[in-house]
Each structure stands twice: as structure tokens, then as C-alpha cells.
Amino acid sequence: MPAVGEIYLVTGGHGFLGQEVIKLLIEENRDLSEVRILDKVIQQNFIESLQALAGGRIKLTVFKGDVRNKEILQKACQGLTCVIHTASVIDIWGYISNEELESINVEGTRLLLDACIQQNVKYFIYTSSVEVVGPNARGDPICNGDEDTVYLGKLRFQYSRTKYAAEQLVLSTNGCLLPNGEQIITCALRPMFIYGENCRFMKSHLDEAIINGDVLQRNSKKQALVNPVYVGNVAWAHVLVARAMKDKDKKKIVCGKFYYITDDTPHMSYSDFNHELMGPLGFTIPDKLNMPLLFMYVTAFILEIVQFLLKPFIRYIPKTNRHFITMLNTKFTFTSHKARNDFDYIPRYSWEVVKKQTTAWLASIVQERRDILNKK
């Protein structure tokens, strides 16, 4: 193992995206000497698989905890080259309190930035989300938007608001003076909806379809086009922008900027996307929405009223809400041309390949999911 080399910290390193980022760092960064993994839960078999991949060339260090633990952050940031901050809490249904979302997504990011500055960490990459843009409550569409697209409207999800606040913290920290006299360089990536093997949201849709007699629910109209992005391509974008930050010419371009991350996944509605991947397994989907869109909004509104009335007595969380319906039924697509121009981002994995891989993963778990659901 090299005595001197780059040291990366990946927060949320055991998560869906974090795992892929770490794997690509090990495979593609020849100057890497150590990867530090920060997460609340880290399974030993994951660490063993990384050790096999590293082949003794790279040291792996585990920090169990979350981004609100100042002591862990200080230790994890000592001697660090770069932080890739993927850790966050995702919630668009209301299962997690607003205070908890704010505490982890915003305050946790603030504490991590503070630790980086105190420990002279020069590079900081934040995993943001397309949801920091919208859609807004009116469901105004965007077709092939980019970083210059102006989109007005209040963010309804507390998750979206906290991700946006954290992103702005990261970008505004760019250029801050470090104790060693250098300046910190920050950047944020805004991927579309991330899918791929081990995606828990896809597993949830699979379960719903099994319960519904192998019929997928149509909750989004066909015209509500979106462009999901494969997890491996999002991870690859993180690796590439980290390279650009260390390039004397490119770092001047990417510092303090945000970038949309997409790939060649076809534009289609969320419901049709689920069917595209699960159709080969025998799952079907109706041509029309489960109920008229207006009726879906009315039903959601009534459920929100019930939630409000019951709040003093019990915690009731509706399975849907009006903004979730808007998100599923709004045309919202973007391009990643700027990422290509500024730091040479080209998707590493093609749609043809990832479709086969993701469908194969779904096929590998479908019987297990049937067995589990039948026992309930």
C-alpha cells in the first residue's frame, strides 16, 4: 500500500448510491490509498467485498455513526483529500418529522462542512437531487431543462426543502479559507430519480404489483415524462467531478457549481418506467390511471384533512398526498450537457446494459418477495 496517497470519505457509504461510489473509486482512482466509510449501519459482508476488490492496495476504514456526531466527523476528516457526501434522509410521505429531516439533511451537512474546514479538507462533493427544483404545486412542466432553466414555485416536500438548503450551504462554502491557507472547493450534483439493482423504491413497486395480482399500479399518466438515471452512472459522475476538482484548469470551472446528472434512459412516466423493467417478468399495467386525476387529488386532500384532525390523538400517515400525485404526473426532464462540457461526464453504462441488469436483479428477488408477502 502506498505510504502517501489520496484519502476519500464517503458518507452514507453503505447506502444505495454510496456503495457504487466506493466501488468505482477503488476501481478507477490509481492515486487512492484509503477510503473511509461513514454510515449508521455497515454490514461486514460489504466490507469484505470491498477488501477483495481493493486487493490490499487500498485501506478501508469504517466509521459507524451519522453526520451529526461531531467527534466522529473530526476523526473521519483528519488528513482527508475529498468528501463525497451522499448521506441524507429521504422522505416524501411524512413518516419522518420535519425536525429530523432538518437535523440530518441540513445541520448534518453544516457540521460536516465545519469539520472539513477545521481539518483542511480541500474538496467537497454533495449529492443533491432534482427535487430541489420541483415540481412546484402547480405542476408546471420542464422539458430538457438545464442549469440555466428558471423554474419558480414553492417546494412542498420538507425533504426537498432540506436538500436545497444543504446544497446551498455547500455551494456557498466554496472558496472559504482553510487554516493551512488554501481554499475549499465544493460542487453539487443533482441526479434524476436513481434506479438500479438494490433500489428499495423499485422493490416497493414490485411488492405492490405482487399483492395486486402481478399488475403494476398506474399512478402517472403516460404524458408525464421523466428521465431516471442509473445508480452506476450517478456514481461515475461523482468520480469524474472529483478528478476535475484536482485539475488546475477544470477546477476553476466546476467550483461552486451544481450539475444535473442524466443518462440515456428513455424518457417515460414513472409508471411506464416500472413496467419497462418489470414487464419481461410477466407484470402488466393498465393503460389508464387507476382513477381520474381530479379524483386522486380530491381523495388525497380528504386524507390530508383526516391526518390534520387526528394529529392531536394519533399519528396517521396517508399513503399518498397531493404533491406526490403532482410529482408523478408532471413532465420533468433534464439534460446533463453542462456536466459533459465541464468535467467530461459521459454515462459509463448504457440503457441496454442497465435494463438487463436491473430486470435480472428484479427476477432474482421476485420469488423471495412472493414468499415473504404470502406469509404476511
Side-chain angles (χ1 to χ4, degrees):
M1 184 183 299
V4 178
E6 295 182 350
I7 303 174
Y8 277 66
L9 169 66
V10 181
T11 70
H14 195 263
F16 176 46
L17 173 61
Q19 291 191 29
E20 297 301 317
V21 170
I22 293 170
K23 291 175 186 175
L24 283 179
L25 282 174
I26 291 173
E27 291 175 357
E28 297 294 335
N29 191 330
R30 296 295 99 191
D31 299 322
L32 191 66
S33 65
E34 181 182 354
V35 175
R36 298 174 184 175
I37 306 166
L38 172 63
D39 214 323
K40 292 197 291 185
V41 178
I42 302 177
Q43 296 177 357
Q44 184 58 32
N45 61 353
F46 171 58
I47 300 301
E48 290 172 356
S49 68
L50 292 180
Q51 289 172 336
L53 183 64
R57 179 179 63 88
I58 296 165
K59 179 181 179 181
L60 298 171
T61 306
V62 172
F63 293 90
K64 283 193 176 181
D66 69 30
V67 292
R68 295 171 293 181
N69 188 318
K70 294 182 182 180
E71 183 178 351
I72 288 180
L73 293 181
Q74 289 293 331
K75 291 179 180 178
C77 289
Q78 288 179 2
L80 209 60
T81 306
C82 178
V83 168
I84 297 180
H85 182 30
T86 76
S88 70
V89 178
I90 302 173
D91 180 56
I92 55 176
W93 297 277
Y95 294 118
I96 300 172
S97 70
N98 290 347
E99 293 76 17
E100 185 79 352
L101 285 166
E102 180 79 21
S103 174
I104 296 174
N105 292 353
V106 182
E107 186 59 23
T109 301
R110 188 193 310 276
L111 292 172
L112 181 58
L113 284 165
D114 289 344
C116 286
I117 291 173
Q118 292 164 19
Q119 296 294 335
N120 291 309
V121 180
K122 190 170 181 180
Y123 307 108
F124 192 108
I125 301 168
Y126 178 65
T127 308
S128 188
S129 168
V130 67
E131 289 187 39
V132 304
V133 185
N136 59 26
R138 297 188 300 273
D140 294 330
I142 291 180
C143 181
N144 294 328
D146 60 23
E147 289 76 5
D148 295 323
T149 300
V150 177
Y151 188 76
L152 302 177
K154 185 178 179 181
L155 294 170
R156 293 289 298 276
F157 289 136
Q158 179 67 5
Y159 164 70
S160 305
R161 290 195 289 268
T162 59
K163 288 293 287 185
Y164 181 75
E167 179 195 90
Q168 295 307 298
L169 269 176
V170 171
L171 298 181
S172 64
T173 302
N174 181 72
C176 284
L177 194 65
L178 301 174
N180 64 5
E182 295 188 293
Q183 292 180 324
I184 190 170
I185 297 173
T186 70
C187 184
L189 303 182
R190 293 179 177 179
M192 307 299 105
F193 167 73
I194 306 174
Y195 72 94
E197 303 92 318
N198 301 313
C199 174
R200 63 187 177 96
F201 297 112
M202 299 200 71
K203 189 181 292 185
S204 175
H205 293 309
L206 178 66
D207 287 352
E208 290 176 352
I210 291 171
I211 293 170
N212 198 36
D214 289 358
V215 178
L216 289 156
Q217 294 187 15
R218 177 171 289 284
N219 295 317
S220 51
K221 57 188 180 182
K222 286 180 176 291
Q223 301 91 332
L225 305 181
V226 292
N227 53 325
V229 60
Y230 180 64
V231 62
N233 288 326
V234 179
W236 181 231
H238 285 74
V239 173
L240 291 176
V241 81
R243 287 180 185 173
M245 283 177 153
K246 291 172 285 182
D247 183 283
K248 64 178 181 179
D249 296 320
K250 292 180 180 177
K251 71 179 180 181
K252 297 175 184 178
I253 300 172
V254 303
C255 63
K257 303 284 180 52
F258 69 86
Y259 294 90
Y260 292 108
I261 304 301
T262 69
D263 58 20
D264 64 344
T265 301
H267 294 201
M268 60 186 86
S269 74
Y270 283 113
S271 294
D272 289 301
F273 178 70
N274 290 332
H275 183 243
E276 185 74 18
L277 295 173
M278 299 182 197
L281 306 181
F283 292 90
T284 61
I285 189 170
D287 287 332
K288 297 181 179 180
L289 290 168
N290 295 339
M291 63 178 72
L293 196 54
L294 178 59
F295 189 60
M296 291 171 66
Y297 277 111
V298 171
T299 301
F301 180 60
I302 293 171
L303 292 176
E304 289 170 23
I305 292 175
V306 172
Q307 180 186 28
F308 176 77
L309 294 175
L310 292 177
K311 189 174 182 179
F313 311 103
I314 62 171
R315 189 166 183 262
Y316 166 65
I317 308 295
K319 290 186 176 181
T320 189
N321 55 66
R322 285 173 292 168
H323 192 60
F324 185 55
I325 295 170
T326 299
M327 184 183 76
L328 293 178
N329 287 281
T330 298
K331 185 174 185 178
F332 220 62
T333 64
F334 290 81
T335 68
S336 51
H337 296 321
K338 188 174 182 181
R340 178 168 185 163
N341 292 335
D342 288 3
F343 59 91
D344 302 323
Y345 167 69
I346 298 175
R348 181 183 176 97
Y349 308 95
S350 70
W351 164 244
E352 290 76 14
V353 170
V354 302
K355 179 183 177 181
K356 290 178 181 177
Q357 290 179 179
T358 307
T359 298
W361 165 69
L362 290 165
S364 73
I365 66 169
V366 67
Q367 189 56 52
E368 172 192 345
R369 303 309 302 169
R370 291 188 193 278
D371 293 341
I372 291 173
L373 294 169
N374 286 335
K375 291 178 182 178
K376 291 184 177 181

